[in-house]
Amino acid sequence: MPSVVASMTLLWICATSVWAQPLLFAPAPASPVQVGPGSGQMILADIDRDGHLDMVTRHLFDRSVGVFRGDGKGGFARFPGGLMRLKDQPGALALADLNGDGMLDLVVTQDHADAVDVFLGDGKGGFTPASGSPFTASGSTAPYTHGLHLVDINEDGKLDLITSNGHSHELGILLGDGRGRFAAAPSLKLNLRANQSFVAFGDIDGDGHIDLVSISGGPDSSLPSALKVWRGDGKGAFAALPGPPLQVPADPHSLMLADLSGNRRQDIVSSHGGGLVSVLENRGAGAFEPAAGSPYSINRDAFVIVAADVNRDGRTDLVAATVDSITVLLATGRSFAPATPISFPAGPGAYKLALGDLNADGAADVVASSFEGNAVTVLLGQTPRRLAAAPPLHPTARRASPVR
């Protein structure tokens, strides 16, 4: 009899656990939010310092940037004067306090020249051009200056701007003076010799200096992508680590660094054509090895991946923008597995996403772009809770009741 009782108890626990599993995300009441045609990259940040996350959106074809106030519930409305018309198509966006006044400033790359526009924020949703803007990062004129990174590359306590060109594989460097002005430094030629490339910055080897990771390759599935680590010297120079590059699947779509295991080491996440996602664990001293089961197949191409603990189990998960949906891989020890469901619908052209706690409930929320539409999708993370109690078991039952 005790064994029967134990079995019944275990079955009841399992039934209750399955019954109580909530969805990770649900559309916000205001979703989709109208932002204008062709939304691309988005940034979530508290621009007006009211405690709610606001949103900045990039619109390539009408050469504009939108600035929207968040209502703390997942809704957004454009700030007065929050439609910024630009002289060139915006390539990439970044927000940071560049002049030390406590208010967020905006940086926008120009798509057809390696130059950046710097706009100083007024803390109320408004931005005005900084003195000397735009700043030229390099002499490259290849129309693909989409990468933008804000890092203190020379460790002087002031943010610098680094632009990356996915075609010429050149990094333009602008050194900041801490007052919103920038001066060009020698550009960095990566000589990757590939159709497309991506870069990411972080302290890879734990020496306190910013390092560089690059991935390059093309759509030919017979040729793997090459992933290289470049060690930074803390003065703005980088040197490739000796040895052959790491090999990951062909056709790279994105590259990201994040501490996925909580050991204070930056791991590498990249996405590829054919719906593949690679995770490389940082083993220290610039050495990496694939996580268990990597690369993972998600059956859809991912163009941006963001790391966050979306199910609040203390592990870092992966959230990807997958063209018309948001796709989630949940951390399971040293590996990743598809969420249930794995994808959540978004608007057409969901090539970009941003994560943040929009409604201050402690759960990560998602905003997804719609390059072929006029609105962004807002998905609110669902806080863990028991959705319903499982039906009680009959005292003589040997099997759990079916889950409805």
Side-chain angles (χ1 to χ4, degrees), residues 314-394:
R315 298 170 176 170
T316 303
D317 311 303
L318 301 177
V319 184
T322 46
V323 185
D324 59 359
S325 60
I326 297 301
T327 298
V328 181
L329 287 172
L330 295 178
T332 58
R334 290 186 59 190
S335 185
F336 291 85
T340 304
I342 185 173
S343 294
F344 300 83
Y351 301 107
K352 304 290 184 180
L353 63 79
L355 262 67
D357 187 359
L358 299 177
N359 53 358
D361 65 352
D365 308 312
V366 179
V367 181
S369 68
S370 179
F371 193 69
E372 281 87 41
N374 295 305
V376 297
T377 301
V378 180
L379 301 174
L380 298 181
Q382 302 302 287
T383 54
R385 62 187 183 278
R386 190 179 302 277
L387 296 183
L393 291 177
H394 191 276

Side-chain angles (χ1 to χ4, degrees), residues 89-102:
Q89 292 178 337
L93 311 176
L95 283 173
D97 181 6
L98 300 176
N99 57 354
D101 64 356

Side-chain angles (χ1 to χ4, degrees), residues 165-211:
N165 189 299
H167 287 165
S168 68
H169 316 306
E170 180 180 12
L171 299 183
I173 300 174
L174 288 164
L175 300 179
D177 66 357
R179 298 187 296 274
R181 294 182 60 88
F182 296 86
S187 59
L188 177 62
K189 302 281 189 178
L190 297 181
N191 297 320
L192 298 177
R193 300 180 182 178
N195 292 336
Q196 54 202 40
S197 65
F198 300 89
V199 299
F201 291 87
D203 184 3
I204 296 297
D205 53 10
D207 66 351
H209 301 316
I210 294 293
D211 306 307

Side-chain angles (χ1 to χ4, degrees), residues 149 197-201 213-215 227-228 252-257 268-271 303-305:
H149 311 268
S197 65
F198 300 89
V199 299
F201 291 87
V213 177
S214 67
I215 186 173
L227 197 148
K228 299 179 66 174
H253 288 352
S254 68
L255 177 65
M256 180 195 68
L257 296 177
I268 298 174
V269 181
S270 58
S271 63
F303 291 88
V304 166
I305 300 180

